[in-house]
Each structure stands twice: as structure tokens, then as C-alpha cells.
Amino acid sequence: INRGNISKIFGELITLIEDTKRSGEGQDEALEVVLPNSGDSFTVPNNLYLIGTMNTADRSLAMMDTALRRRFDFVEMMPKPELFNDITVNGIDLEELIRKMNQRIEVLYDREHTLGHAFFMPVKALVKDQDKAFNELKSIFKNKIIPLLEEYFFEDWAKIRLVLGDGNKEDSYQFITVNGDDYDIEKLFGKNTEPGYEVEEAKSYRRNDSALNELASYIGIYES
């Protein structure tokens, strides 16, 4: 629904799907239209259900047509980490992993940007083969979760590290690491440079892809 042209998708349906305008027994205000191509009469029966999905993260709901709001009930579908109850991959508790990251995203961003459980369903499907499931989990973090967090926080690496719990892990288990002594203001800008406060306090970060292979990298997200 998000990126569709509502008036083109529904056309005359936007009127016909109203409860009082549908055809059926006891529907005194029922309407029908003549289809432009076939010339046939068309009505919507009162036992037809229309179900659609949309992503609220991009705020399209705020611009939703009032006519559509009147005709539909909007049911919130939030992530369900409980679907992974007692599901572990090489000792990694998937339910706790998802729950902890989403709690942090709620605090640092908002609840509408929490990670959907659908990301991790392929891991659950492979759980009988622990090695395959772990390889799938690594792929999801590398290609979906971390890039998505980069987009959410506009590459604010400090916040991404907070979501991933990297501050509570040893360096080798951190998905995003802070560059150490090699990030030297004097070496970068010269002895006579007078950098501003924001430069003096700045840090350099890098992705640590080797952490994707370590079980402790994932367990450390929810065990501090």
C-alpha cells in the first residue's frame, strides 16, 4: 500500500467497499457501478474481506488518504521475538538476541524501526543443522542487520555499537571497532593545527567482519 497510487488501485471500490454500500440482504444503500471496459454491472458483496500490509517505518501512514482511513481498521504488527522461544544456534539465544537489540533501538530511535522477526525466520528454518543456521545468521548480520542499522542511524557508529552491545565485548568480538592509537590528531593534521572541539573528540570506526565468525560476538549482544 505504501508506494501505490490509492485512487488508481481502488478506483470506484473506494466507495463500494463501505459497509453500507455493499450488496447483500438488508443492504438498503447498496451501490453498483458499470465497468468501463466490459459494460458489466459491478458490486461488492458484504462477505468480502480486504486485507493489505504496509510498512509504517517510512511514515506513509501519516499521509494516508482520509477516505482510506475511514474504510479500514489499522492493526499494528510488531516484531515477535517469542516466535524464537527455545531456539538456539550454537548456543546463541535468538529470542534474547532480537529482544535486546529491539529494546535498544526503541530507546535510541523509536519503536517503529525495531527489527522484524522475518529477518531471522530463515535461521529458524535451518535450526536442525546448526552449522547451516549459524552461516545463515552470519549472512543476515553482514548483509541486512548491520547495513540497516547504518541507514537508521546515518552511520552514527557510536549508536550502532550500542545496539550491538560492542562496548561490552572484547575488541575481537566487536562488530564495529574503535580505531586506537593510529587515530592521532597531530599525525593527521600536523603540530601547528588547532582543531576544534568536535575534531578533538572525534573517533574513527571500522567494521570488523572477522567478528561475524565468533559466537561470542552474538552472545555478547544480550549478555553484558
Side-chain angles (χ1 to χ4, degrees), residues 93-125:
D93 187 328
L94 289 182
E95 181 179 7
E96 280 302 308
L97 180 77
I98 300 167
R99 194 182 303 279
K100 184 63 71 173
M101 286 195 295
N102 279 342
Q103 286 173 345
R104 291 167 178 162
I105 291 172
E106 282 190 39
V107 172
L108 297 170
Y109 201 161
D110 62 38
R111 66 194 301 270
E112 290 185 353
H113 286 80
T114 48
L115 303 174
H117 53 268
F119 280 119
F120 300 91
M121 294 305 284
V123 180
K124 183 178 181 179

Side-chain angles (χ1 to χ4, degrees), residues 122-147:
V123 180
K124 183 178 181 179
L126 296 170
V127 75
K128 290 183 178 179
D129 188 327
Q130 292 281 286
D131 289 338
K132 284 186 179 180
F134 182 57
N135 286 333
E136 183 66 26
L137 183 63
K138 288 192 294 184
S139 175
I140 289 169
F141 263 79
K142 181 179 181 180
N143 300 315
K144 295 182 179 180
I145 300 300
I146 295 178

Side-chain angles (χ1 to χ4, degrees), residues 12-23:
E12 293 86 350
L13 272 178
I14 203 68
T15 298
L16 298 181
I17 61 176
E18 284 194 62
D19 291 342
T20 57
K21 303 297 191 296
R22 295 182 175 221
S23 62

Side-chain angles (χ1 to χ4, degrees), residues 2 32 41 62 78 88 90 99 103 106 108 131 172 190 213:
N2 292 66
E32 66 176 35
S41 296
M78 295 301 290
T88 60
N90 290 343
R99 194 182 303 279
Q103 286 173 345
E106 282 190 39
L108 297 170
D131 289 338
S172 58
N213 301 312

Side-chain angles (χ1 to χ4, degrees), residues 36-179:
N37 292 330
S38 65
D40 296 335
S41 296
F42 180 74
T43 63
V44 176
N46 57 14
N47 64 347
L48 175 70
Y49 293 84
L50 298 179
I51 300 174
T53 61
M54 65 185 302
N55 174 19
T56 57
D58 65 9
R59 299 293 180 180
S60 294
L61 186 60
M63 298 176 285
M64 185 60 65
D65 189 278
T66 305
L68 197 67
R69 282 177 174 271
R70 277 200 304 114
R71 289 164 172 82
F72 285 89
D73 296 327
F74 289 87
V75 181
E76 184 179 64
M77 300 292 287
M78 295 301 290
K80 298 179 179 178
E82 61 272 13
L83 294 177
F84 301 88
N85 185 35
D86 294 331
I87 301 294
T88 60
V89 177
N90 290 343
I92 303 167
D93 187 328
L94 289 182
E95 181 179 7
E96 280 302 308
L97 180 77
I98 300 167
R99 194 182 303 279
K100 184 63 71 173
M101 286 195 295
N102 279 342
Q103 286 173 345
R104 291 167 178 162
I105 291 172
E106 282 190 39
V107 172
L108 297 170
Y109 201 161
D110 62 38
R111 66 194 301 270
E112 290 185 353
H113 286 80
T114 48
L115 303 174
H117 53 268
F119 280 119
F120 300 91
M121 294 305 284
V123 180
K124 183 178 181 179
L126 296 170
V127 75
K128 290 183 178 179
D129 188 327
Q130 292 281 286
D131 289 338
K132 284 186 179 180
F134 182 57
N135 286 333
E136 183 66 26
L137 183 63
K138 288 192 294 184
S139 175
I140 289 169
F141 263 79
K142 181 179 181 180
N143 300 315
K144 295 182 179 180
I145 300 300
I146 295 178
L148 184 63
L149 292 176
E150 291 174 10
E151 181 182 330
Y152 279 177
F153 297 107
F154 303 100
E155 297 192 0
D156 184 338
W157 298 103
K159 288 184 178 178
I160 297 171
R161 278 171 52 83
L162 285 173
V163 173
L164 298 171
D166 282 342
N168 299 318
K169 307 173 192 171
E170 295 181 16
D171 290 353
S172 58
Y173 300 143
Q174 296 176 7
F175 293 107
I176 309 297
T177 59
V178 182
N179 289 339

